[in-house]
């Protein structure tokens, strides 16, 4: 075991165990190095362009459709094609890449499993490599898991769900691999290893190398991904468009560039997805300097709100016009053992999914296998004999304007809401810095987006001196008082032993730094990553 290992010009600054060498083979790493040498240097330029745009929004310029790409929006073009095993995506389950989760998700009553290296995953080095091995074994259909305590054996059933891999966003580095003295983009490692190890077997299985691409903010970023995909296809001798991607529209800038993103990726793209939790976070983050665009308690920011409903309808209309799928968002609820609570959960799922299906979405997301049947039932009824809703064009809708997409959202800011935000964010951050990115909290399966909304909301209320419904002004002093009080509540809820053994003080300190900083920190996972081995 040594702490430096060379793969060509790539330097690994982590121990390389024997068990990792099958994933970090010389050939696999040579492919990653090719990707990095060609594409890594463009990532800082793309991230810098985000900052330039944000500065103009901070200065008062509201986001809008781009005048220079009107031809793309008005042109009559479509995406290349959608493979047969992606034609029906009525329910997708998402979750991190640990071994038992991968098996259970692929066995669930769903069409697709999105295996996640991003928002429901904390990218500790060993977890990244184990995740790649778990997916490779799943693709080979050799994956199994024996529970160490119960001895229960988990194995793949016949006809598992279609596998799609979600890679890290462009903002996240991989701090264990360096090229030219800089950490490489995590996205290129995730993509490179998954593609290299699995593309042949996936195609033999009648599927293909499919990806979810998160956090895009501009069509130039989509064009970068298209170049990455095309290069990988050429290296592997595959036809153009073998790699397929679904792009999450989960940032406010991206909603104005959906046509351009589809166009930039048109050989490789099969659809867009309403990543609505991150989208709410992005709405706060993007409009942080605009006191007239401040969101209420996150519990009341539902898809019925005009700005979110406009986003859903515009995504459906844009995608279907281009022959691409319009995927719905996440139901983060978890089934409850309490019959009354569970009936309430299922009713919530039913309402939420019916809204999506009636808007014309082709499918939706769940976070737990126990909710798959309820979501599927809604889409089964809506789809009838169809596999998707590409025929729902929404052409008769009035055009959706920038004003609708940016519309202020009504609802109260409450002390209860603020306290709940603090408790959820601290618990999520504690789990994440301890290596777990997918956390059940108060009956919801939370990922990073929830904690991001929670801390960004309070930051924005504080910045603009907003008052709560009880008349209290949100100040740094009020936040610090509530944080202290809610830490005591948390200790009572989870017990002193768990509280003292965990990293709750570190999480609270990080929450305080994020919430009271002069500038809004772009992603909590960046400072959080420093805690991970």
């Amino acid at each position: 075991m040594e702490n430096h290992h060379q793969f060509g010009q790539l330097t690994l600054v982590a121990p390389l165990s024997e068990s990792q060498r099958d994933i970090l083979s010389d050939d696999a790493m040579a492919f990653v190095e090719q990707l990095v040498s060609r594409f890594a240097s463009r990532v800082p330029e793309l991230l810098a362009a985000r900052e330039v745009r944000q500065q103009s929004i901070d200065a008062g310029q509201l986001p809008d459709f781009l005048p220079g790409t009107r031809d793309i929006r008005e042109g009559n073009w479509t995406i290349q094609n959608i493979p047969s095993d992606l034609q029906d995506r009525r329910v997708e389950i998402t979750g991190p890449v640990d071994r038992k989760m991968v098996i259970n998700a692929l066995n669930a009553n769903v069409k697709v499993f999105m295996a996640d290296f991003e928002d429901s995953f904390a990218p500790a080095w060993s977890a990244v490599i184990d995740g790649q091995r778990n997916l490779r074994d799943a693709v080979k259909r050799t994956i199994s898991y024996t529970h160490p305590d119960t001895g229960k054996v988990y194995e793949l059933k016949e006809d598992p769900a279609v596998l799609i891999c979600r890679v890290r966003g462009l903002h996240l580095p991989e701090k264990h691999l360096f090229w030219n003295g800089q950490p490489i983009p995590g996205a290129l490692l995730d993509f490179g290893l998954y593609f290299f190890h699995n593309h042949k077997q996936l195609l033999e299985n009648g599927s293909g190398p499919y990806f979810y691409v998160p956090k895009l903010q501009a069509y130039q970023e989509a064009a970068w991904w298209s170049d990455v995909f095309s290069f990988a296809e050429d290296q592997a001798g595959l036809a153009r468009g073998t790699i397929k991607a679904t792009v999450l529209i989960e940032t406010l800038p991206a909603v104005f560039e959906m046509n351009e993103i589809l166009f930039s990726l048109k050989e490789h793209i099969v659809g867009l997805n309403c990543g609505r939790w991150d989208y709410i976070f992005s709405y706060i983050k993007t409009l942080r300097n605009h006191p007239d665009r401040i969101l209420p308690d996150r519990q009341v920011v539902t898809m019925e709100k005009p700005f979110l409903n406009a986003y859903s309808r515009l995504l459906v209309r844009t995608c279907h016009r281009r022959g691409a799928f319009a995927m719905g968002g996440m139901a983060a609820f978890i089934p409850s053992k309490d019959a009354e609570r569970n009936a309430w959960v299922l009713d919530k799922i039913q309402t939420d999914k019916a809204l999506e299906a009636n808007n014309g979405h082709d499918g939706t997301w769940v976070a737990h296998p126990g909710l798959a049947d309820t979501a599927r039932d809604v889409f089964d009824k809506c789809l009838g004999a169809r596999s998707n809703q590409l025929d729902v064009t929404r052409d008769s809708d009035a055009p959706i304007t920038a004003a609708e997409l940016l519309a202020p959202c009504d609802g109260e800011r409450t002390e209860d809401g603020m306290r709940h935000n603090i408790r959820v964010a601290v618990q999520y951050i504690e789990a994440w810095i301890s290596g777990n990115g997918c956390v059940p909290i108060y009956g919801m399966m939370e990922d990073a987006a929830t904690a991001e909304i929670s801390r960004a909301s309070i930051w924005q209320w504080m910045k603009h001196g907003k008052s709560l419904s009880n008349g209290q002004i949100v100040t740094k002093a009020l936040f610090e008082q509530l944080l202290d009080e809610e830490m005591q509540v948390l200790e009572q809820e989870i017990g002193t032993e768990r509280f003292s053994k965990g990293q709750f003080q570190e999480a609270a300190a990080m929450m305080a730094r994020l919430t009271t900083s002069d500038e809004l920190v772009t992603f909590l996972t960046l400072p959080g990553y420093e805690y991970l081995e």
Side-chain angles (χ1 to χ4, degrees), residues 2-7 9-17 20 24 29 125 129 174-179 189:
E2 68 213 82
N3 274 355
H4 276 71
H5 194 91
Q6 283 300 130
F7 294 101
Q9 296 300 305
L10 289 177
T11 305
L12 172 64
V13 289
L16 179 63
S17 68
Q20 292 174 334
L24 300 173
M29 296 308 287
W125 177 245
I129 306 309
E174 175 44 72
K175 67 181 179 183
H176 299 93
L177 275 168
F178 283 76
W179 183 75
L189 181 73

Side-chain angles (χ1 to χ4, degrees), residues 117-118 121-128 168 172-176 432 435 529 532-533:
F117 286 97
E118 211 244 350
F121 178 75
W125 177 245
S126 59
V128 169
R168 276 174 276 189
L172 284 169
E174 175 44 72
K175 67 181 179 183
H176 299 93
W432 203 95
Y529 190 34
L532 296 179
E533 291 292 318

Side-chain angles (χ1 to χ4, degrees), residues 2 48 86 138 144-145 150 171 212 220 227 277 356 456-457 528:
E2 68 213 82
L86 289 176
S144 67
Y145 173 77
T150 63
H171 61 289
Y212 255 109
Q220 291 89 343
D227 291 345
W277 304 110
E356 288 184 330
S457 285

Side-chain angles (χ1 to χ4, degrees), residues 56-301:
S56 72
I57 296 169
D58 286 347
Q61 170 112 42
L62 287 171
D64 205 343
F65 298 98
L66 303 176
T69 52
R70 184 185 296 270
D71 288 355
I72 292 174
R73 289 195 298 282
E74 293 179 356
N76 283 323
W77 50 271
T78 56
I79 62 162
Q80 182 174 295
N81 71 308
I82 298 176
S84 58
D85 66 334
L86 289 176
Q87 289 286 338
D88 186 337
R89 297 174 65 173
R90 65 189 70 194
V91 181
E92 303 190 341
I93 194 167
T94 76
V97 287
D98 62 89
R99 203 163 180 87
K100 183 178 149 201
M101 171 81 205
V102 168
I103 297 167
N104 285 344
L106 287 168
N107 286 342
N109 184 23
V110 297
K111 295 293 187 179
V112 168
F113 167 43
M114 186 203 79
D116 194 17
F117 286 97
E118 211 244 350
D119 257 5
S120 64
F121 178 75
W125 177 245
S126 59
V128 169
I129 306 309
D130 288 347
Q132 289 284 354
R133 179 181 298 103
N134 295 339
L135 296 189
R136 182 202 62 183
D137 293 352
V139 170
K140 285 180 166 176
R141 311 274 165 90
T142 60
I143 191 170
S144 67
Y145 173 77
T146 304
H147 196 286
D149 300 329
T150 63
K152 183 176 176 185
V153 177
Y154 296 78
E155 292 180 316
L156 275 194
K157 295 177 184 167
E158 287 293 310
D159 195 27
V162 175
L163 184 59
I164 301 183
C165 173
R166 180 162 73 169
V167 297
R168 276 174 276 189
L170 290 180
H171 61 289
L172 284 169
E174 175 44 72
K175 67 181 179 183
H176 299 93
L177 275 168
F178 283 76
W179 183 75
N180 279 357
Q182 296 294 317
I184 73 166
L188 285 179
L189 181 73
D190 299 342
F191 166 77
L193 290 178
Y194 183 76
F195 177 81
F196 180 85
H197 285 298
N198 300 303
H199 70 269
K200 286 188 183 126
Q201 186 67 54
L202 284 162
L203 291 164
E204 272 180 38
N205 292 353
S207 188
Y210 303 151
F211 295 89
Y212 255 109
V213 175
K215 305 278 189 296
L216 295 192
Q217 293 193 25
Y219 73 87
Q220 291 89 343
E221 298 170 14
W224 179 86
W225 271 113
S226 190
D227 291 345
V228 170
F229 295 156
S230 295
F231 174 78
E233 287 166 347
D234 291 347
Q235 290 302 106
L238 300 176
R240 182 67 73 245
T242 303
I243 294 172
K244 293 299 185 193
T246 306
V247 168
L248 289 127
I249 299 299
E250 54 185 348
T251 69
L252 189 64
V255 83
F256 295 97
E257 299 186 28
M258 290 193 287
N259 274 295
E260 294 86 337
I261 287 168
L262 287 164
F263 187 78
S264 299
L265 270 164
K266 67 175 182 289
E267 295 159 327
H268 298 111
I269 202 161
V270 290
L272 303 177
N273 175 296
C274 276
R276 62 193 186 196
W277 304 110
D278 268 290
Y279 187 78
I280 294 167
F281 166 51
S282 180
Y283 182 98
I284 299 168
K285 186 163 61 168
T286 307
L287 303 176
R288 61 197 176 197
N289 263 22
H290 295 257
D292 55 337
R293 314 269 168 182
I294 292 180
L295 294 187
D297 287 353
R298 73 181 171 91
Q299 291 73 17
V300 299
V301 185

Side-chain angles (χ1 to χ4, degrees), residues 40-62:
S41 62
R42 283 168 57 190
V43 173
E45 297 164 19
L46 293 168
L47 296 178
R50 292 181 178 182
E51 294 306 314
V52 171
R53 172 185 276 187
Q54 185 60 50
Q55 284 161 10
S56 72
I57 296 169
D58 286 347
Q61 170 112 42
L62 287 171

Side-chain angles (χ1 to χ4, degrees), residues 499-511:
F499 188 82
S500 58
K501 281 187 177 166
Q503 298 194 69
F504 288 94
Q505 299 305 338
E506 293 88 339
M510 188 170 147
M511 174 67 175

